[in-house]
Amino acid sequence: MVLPRSLLAQGDHVLVCVIFLLFFQDTMSYIGPERTAVVRGFTHREAFNIVGRRVIQVAQAMSLTEDVLAAALADHLPEDKWSSDKRRPLKSSLGYEITFSLLNPDPKSHDVHWDIEGAVRRYVQPFLSALSAAGNFSVDSQILYYTVLGVNPRFDPASSSYYLAAHSLPHVINPVESRLGSSAASLYPVLNFLLYVPELAHSPLYIQDKDGAPVATNAFHSPRWGGIMVYNVDSKAYNASELPVRVEVDMVRVMEVFLAQLRLLFGIAQPQMPLKSLFSGPKSEGLTTWELDRLLWARSVENVATATTTLTSLAQLLGKISNIVIKDDVASEVYRAVAAVQKAAEELASGRLASAFIASQAAVTSSERAFFDPSLLHLLYFPDDQKFVISSL
Amino acid sequence: MVTAFSLSKGLTTLSGLLLLSFGSLAASQIEDQAEQFFRSGHTNNWAVLVCTSRFWFNYRHVANTLSVYRSVKRLGIPDSHIVLMLADDMACNPRNPKPATVFSHKNMELNVYGDDVEVDYRSYEVTVENFLRVLTGRIPPSTPRSKRLLSDDRSNILIYMTGHGGNGFLKFQDSEEITNIELADAFEQMWQKRRYNELLFIIDTCQGASMYERFYSPNIMALASSQVGEDSLSHQPDPAIGVHLMDRYTFYVLEFLEEINPASQTNMNDLFQVCPRSLCVSTPGHRTDLFQRDPKNVLITDFFGSVRKVEITTETISLQPDLEIMESRDKKDWMDEELMEPLKYAEQLPVAQIIHQVYLISENFHLNHCSTC
């Protein structure tokens, strides 16, 4: 079922829900990748009520809901430590730096090759260009030799393999981080994705979850930092020759995990699908249009909230410390920020997401520039508590 | 009678056991939730370590700061997340009998200068203005990344200051002072812009407690080496080097920290007990009223270490070219109950009859109302 494009006006973000008589076994609805969904109809006394509820469920799965907004405004709302989802997404920023690193601690045994440039071109770039509305992305990659994980894996005699228990995972990242060089990369937030090929002495290496079962993806991630995946060399490769063994990394498997982690780090969670529905997975880019819409909505709201609180606290600062002088350029940044906030709110109200997002980013940039202007340091002005008067008659 | 009694007793023990097992299940669930609740909400750690003195006879202040730097690095905070401000004129001072070293223990046991010290603000760059710029973030755009405090609302920050101080002020390099009001205002600026999640402030100077008296922003915990009116004393002179090597409070804090490893569960209450009056001569103080969590639930590694929150990745996305259909998990659908009767075609309207009826009515209408037809 393809809807003619002419039906949708340019720039409208409209969810089209088609009620259709489908004889598709037990399925009640189908959610597509491009803002369309199909809901099964039927004849029954309560047909309209039930179908109506079904449509509402589908719409909620695909569009902006309260919990998405709550996650976006998490730092402005009273603390709720229960949900880890709210802490995971990256803060909204103008751009992001994504670094892929291959860690080879044992080059004497493994001669690892990975076609990272091809994989980035084929899998990562489409995803990032789908997300390009949300910021500038730059990607780089590196190979690090003789870098070990900070934790010694344990040996499991039952499966004759090594494992990393779930509670030791938090200690893996820190010793590695100093080698990654992420601080030198750029001023934007950096996301690190590490592919670790374990040493021959510790192969194969599996990651165990809390219950002791090996994790299918053999990967874990850390909010606002990135992800690590352990790539085990196939034991058949060792039979043939002497060391070092040439290892060609299967980039498809690796990128499937990394892109899933990237989605999670951006806060694009798996959608809450209504029961008995088919969901056509994200297209080859890894992102459906309505997921991007939701992300842009959440980011715009977050940006507007941040800009507003920044301007408010700037005003409060000036109220408290009366002898600060506001230079003209700081004042113009403030005016610009206020205008941008108003524009963003208007555009959000009319549903024009792209321009709302751009306006909200401009609001944040201007308000941050005004707040963090170096001339506002109150030390430069004579604080009142250090003034005294000596008078004598 | 006896059998009935034993039966009822058996029943009560059985029910008791059941209740116990349910209770323990519920208790472990509640414990799990409570554990999550009391855990801090931070995702990264920063440290700002400031030594405010210069000149050879203030060797101990540099050794203090470098020892804290060493512990913090050992427990996991990377250099990119540490802002170290030192006058840095000890290791290569012409009066240093052991050049390129700074010792924290007599008999030269521990060289805290090490091989990988990264000083971010050195020598005359350690000024009150730079310190406040680092804290509030009002830095000129040309400042390199290593000199910035790039914390966010989920950062736990450790701030350690040492030097010469007095009642309500701290002396910077013998030429200027920072007052406790300025410090409190700087922390408020940080809070307004959400530059920290929780903040631990440790100060080792004379009359150190006066520096945290004026704090008013939430989520700050403060420790000081001495109360107002007391002097903090230095620990031990080394005859070979000729100066005092460390201050007492930091010396004992360091001994305490050497026992901590990244997986430790030691909490803040233990840190408050470090260096009692008998060892320190001064009375260490602390302030926790602005802090939301109970200190006994705050781990030392929440501030001194860098333990990451980690989640297992359970999902992948499919990169295969053909469309993959994902089915939602099979759960009982409450709508099923409404569809009890099997689906069938609705009762067809008797269309022919209706048309006939309509025709009759319209005929009637015409005959009755239409006079000109």
Side-chain angles (χ1 to χ4, degrees):
Chain A
M1 268 243 8
V2 178
L3 273 179
R5 286 285 172 167
S6 52
L7 278 188
L8 297 168
Q10 183 69 298
D12 274 352
H13 293 253
V14 170
L15 275 179
V16 179
C17 216
V18 176
I19 301 175
F20 203 72
L21 281 171
L22 263 183
F23 293 100
F24 213 126
Q25 290 174 311
D26 223 7
T27 324
M28 301 303 276
S29 53
Y30 165 83
I31 299 179
E34 288 262 19
R35 298 191 198 110
T36 52
V38 179
V39 174
R40 177 181 175 187
F42 44 87
T43 50
H44 185 264
R45 261 197 333 273
E46 297 289 314
F48 281 126
N49 280 344
I50 299 177
V51 169
R53 276 193 284 259
R54 183 60 70 174
V55 167
I56 290 176
Q57 278 187 344
V58 165
Q60 277 185 343
M62 291 172 76
S63 66
L64 190 73
T65 49
E66 279 175 357
D67 41 296
V68 174
L69 277 180
L73 294 174
D75 15 308
H76 303 274
L77 293 175
E79 274 273 313
D80 178 2
K81 297 193 207 286
W82 301 75
S83 159
S84 65
D85 272 345
K86 294 182 188 164
R87 273 184 265 135
R88 198 199 288 128
L90 291 170
K91 283 181 76 69
S92 173
S93 156
L94 285 176
Y96 300 92
E97 175 89 23
I98 299 181
T99 306
F100 292 102
S101 309
L102 172 65
L103 266 59
N104 185 1
D106 196 7
K108 287 200 286 286
S109 316
H110 300 128
D111 180 23
V112 188
H113 292 261
W114 69 341
D115 178 25
I116 185 67
E117 288 179 43
V120 164
R121 207 178 40 241
R122 232 172 306 140
Y123 305 118
V124 180
Q125 281 300 1
F127 181 78
L128 293 181
S129 20
L131 259 189
S132 61
N136 300 326
F137 291 93
S138 61
V139 181
D140 38 54
S141 67
Q142 60 182 342
I143 304 185
L144 293 173
Y145 295 103
Y146 292 108
T147 309
V148 291
L149 297 180
V151 179
N152 273 331
R154 301 252 179 87
F155 183 66
D156 177 23
S159 54
S160 65
S161 61
Y162 290 86
Y163 69 92
L164 282 174
H167 61 81
S168 61
L169 293 178
H171 306 295
V172 166
I173 297 181
N174 285 322
V176 179
E177 178 157 18
S178 50
R179 311 289 184 93
L180 293 176
S182 47
S183 57
S186 78
L187 279 178
Y188 289 146
V190 179
L191 283 174
N192 292 299
F193 292 98
L194 271 54
L195 185 65
Y196 184 73
V197 180
E199 313 125 309
L200 184 55
H202 288 148
S203 288
L205 179 62
Y206 295 108
I207 296 179
Q208 279 186 355
D209 60 15
K210 277 199 310 288
D211 311 315
V215 173
T217 57
N218 221 13
F220 63 98
H221 56 273
S222 177
R224 300 193 179 186
W225 183 82
I228 298 185
M229 177 177 174
V230 177
Y231 187 86
N232 287 314
V233 175
D234 198 0
S235 50
K236 292 198 280 290
Y238 295 124
N239 296 341
S241 53
E242 75 280 337
L243 307 171
V245 165
R246 188 184 165 92
V247 179
E248 277 291 341
V249 175
D250 177 10
M251 292 312 293
V252 175
R253 217 180 84 204
V254 167
M255 279 302 161
E256 283 183 348
V257 173
F258 280 164
L259 283 180
Q261 288 178 337
L262 191 54
R263 276 169 59 105
L264 285 171
L265 290 170
F266 268 101
I268 307 170
Q270 284 291 77
Q272 298 281 52
M273 290 187 286
L275 301 163
K276 293 200 187 143
S277 64
L278 282 181
F279 171 46
S280 109
K283 306 179 287 195
S284 55
E285 279 113 44
L287 189 69
T288 60
T289 20
W290 44 270
E291 281 174 334
L292 178 64
D293 286 346
R294 222 175 5 188
L295 184 68
L296 287 182
W297 255 104
R299 285 297 165 88
S300 308
V301 168
E302 186 190 334
N303 285 345
V304 166
T306 311
T308 319
T309 40
T310 307
L311 291 173
T312 316
S313 50
L314 182 60
Q316 282 174 349
L317 166 68
L318 297 178
K320 243 191 293 189
I321 301 172
S322 48
N323 47 9
I324 286 187
V325 172
I326 297 287
K327 295 195 304 195
D328 282 338
D329 47 348
V330 175
S332 53
E333 290 289 346
V334 172
Y335 284 130
R336 217 173 297 161
V338 170
V341 165
Q342 285 169 336
K343 176 157 185 260
E346 274 166 24
E347 299 283 314
L348 274 182
S350 14
R352 287 188 285 275
L353 277 183
S355 49
F357 182 69
I358 294 174
S360 68
Q361 272 193 330
V364 167
T365 318
S366 296
S367 62
E368 301 262 310
R369 234 181 269 153
F371 188 88
F372 285 122
D373 191 83
S375 69
L376 284 179
L377 192 67
H378 65 280
L379 181 64
L380 300 178
Y381 309 93
F382 204 167
D384 280 337
D385 64 293
Q386 294 184 357
K387 290 181 188 146
F388 58 89
V389 168
I390 299 178
S391 66
S392 63
L393 284 170
Chain B
M1 281 311 277
V2 174
T3 49
F5 179 70
S6 59
L7 187 65
S8 66
K9 196 165 166 207
L11 274 174
T12 47
T13 48
L14 184 64
S15 55
L17 273 174
L18 276 173
L19 276 174
L20 201 65
S21 61
F22 278 133
S24 64
L25 183 68
S28 68
Q29 253 187 347
I30 293 175
E31 217 177 74
D32 202 33
Q33 288 174 339
E35 191 195 300
Q36 278 193 330
F37 183 72
F38 288 125
R39 237 187 269 148
S40 163
H42 70 283
T43 61
N44 57 70
N45 285 78
W46 284 81
V48 178
L49 309 174
V50 185
C51 165
T52 61
S53 309
R54 62 183 301 117
F55 306 130
W56 175 247
F57 49 82
N58 290 320
Y59 187 102
R60 59 192 185 279
H61 296 143
V62 171
N64 286 350
T65 318
L66 284 174
S67 313
V68 176
Y69 172 76
R70 201 187 104 82
S71 304
V72 148
K73 260 177 80 155
R74 184 179 61 83
L75 289 172
I77 304 188
D79 270 313
S80 52
H81 284 227
I82 303 179
V83 177
L84 180 60
M85 302 174 80
L86 285 184
D88 205 15
D89 57 350
M90 301 301 158
C92 298
N93 195 303
R95 292 163 79 168
N96 190 352
K98 299 276 174 193
T101 61
V102 174
F103 290 108
S104 69
H105 226 278
K106 71 172 185 227
N107 300 330
M108 301 187 209
E109 277 169 25
L110 187 59
N111 173 19
V112 288
Y113 203 59
D115 289 331
D116 56 351
V117 169
E118 272 187 32
V119 182
D120 299 304
Y121 286 83
R122 58 159 32 99
S123 189
Y124 292 108
E125 291 172 355
V126 182
T127 59
V128 177
E129 180 182 335
N130 280 346
F131 176 60
L132 289 179
R133 282 198 192 282
V134 164
L135 286 185
T136 54
R138 297 209 166 92
I139 288 191
S142 55
T143 317
R145 197 181 164 110
S146 58
K147 284 187 164 175
R148 293 177 187 245
L149 178 64
L150 294 167
S151 56
D152 55 31
D153 59 306
R154 293 270 156 239
S155 306
N156 274 8
I157 307 186
L158 165 72
I159 298 186
Y160 175 83
M161 301 183 78
T162 181
H164 289 289
N167 189 355
F169 67 91
L170 177 57
K171 194 167 67 157
F172 262 69
Q173 303 219 334
D174 239 356
S175 63
E176 45 180 8
E177 302 158 355
I178 185 172
T179 60
N180 49 7
I181 300 178
E182 280 170 351
L183 194 56
D185 282 340
F187 286 162
E188 176 65 11
Q189 291 284 289
M190 289 175 79
W191 175 251
Q192 287 291 326
K193 204 58 191 73
R194 292 294 183 277
R195 277 164 70 77
Y196 67 88
N197 176 41
E198 289 171 342
L199 201 137
L200 177 63
F201 177 77
I202 303 184
I203 185 159
D204 187 350
T205 64
C206 304
Q207 309 197 50
S210 63
M211 287 308 284
Y212 61 63
E213 268 171 3
R214 299 293 194 123
F215 292 166
Y216 54 95
S217 318
N219 289 352
I220 300 185
M221 195 190 293
L223 281 105
S225 58
S226 55
Q227 302 293 334
V228 174
E230 286 180 346
D231 287 338
S232 283
L233 301 182
S234 55
H235 186 56
Q236 41 181 274
D238 183 308
I241 299 184
V243 284
H244 286 263
L245 291 184
M246 271 193 89
D247 280 331
R248 285 179 188 244
Y249 182 68
T250 311
F251 183 80
Y252 289 108
V253 165
L254 255 125
E255 256 187 16
F256 173 80
L257 285 177
E258 288 286 311
E259 320 257 311
I260 311 277
N261 56 57
S264 279
Q265 298 290 311
T266 331
N267 58 49
M268 279 295 165
N269 275 343
D270 302 324
L271 187 59
F272 294 158
Q273 309 303 326
V274 160
C275 204
R277 204 192 160 92
S278 51
L279 288 173
C280 256
V281 185
S282 58
T283 320
H286 55 91
R287 179 176 178 183
T288 53
D289 56 311
L290 296 167
F291 205 75
Q292 277 179 4
R293 294 189 289 151
D294 193 339
K296 73 171 186 294
N297 294 319
V298 181
L299 300 178
I300 301 284
T301 49
D302 278 349
F303 289 102
F304 284 91
S306 179
V307 182
R308 307 270 184 176
K309 301 277 177 292
V310 151
E311 288 169 25
I312 307 275
T313 312
T314 46
E315 330 168 320
T316 56
I317 65 176
S318 172
L319 290 177
Q320 305 308 327
D322 39 318
L323 200 66
E324 201 141 296
I325 310 271
M326 283 153 48
E327 186 118 15
S328 66
R329 269 189 294 263
D330 234 5
K331 274 194 261 188
K332 192 156 157 40
D333 190 353
W334 58 268
M335 283 195 203
D336 275 346
E337 278 132 36
E338 309 219 351
L339 292 178
M340 271 308 159
E341 41 190 82
L343 302 177
K344 59 182 197 290
Y345 283 108
E347 305 229 331
Q348 301 297 324
L349 294 170
V351 178
Q353 278 185 335
I354 290 174
I355 290 177
H356 186 65
Q357 294 254 341
V358 169
Y359 174 72
L360 287 174
I361 291 169
S362 68
E363 282 260 327
N364 225 358
F365 187 78
H366 273 288
L367 291 169
N368 291 342
H369 298 278
C370 187
S371 52
T372 60
C373 304

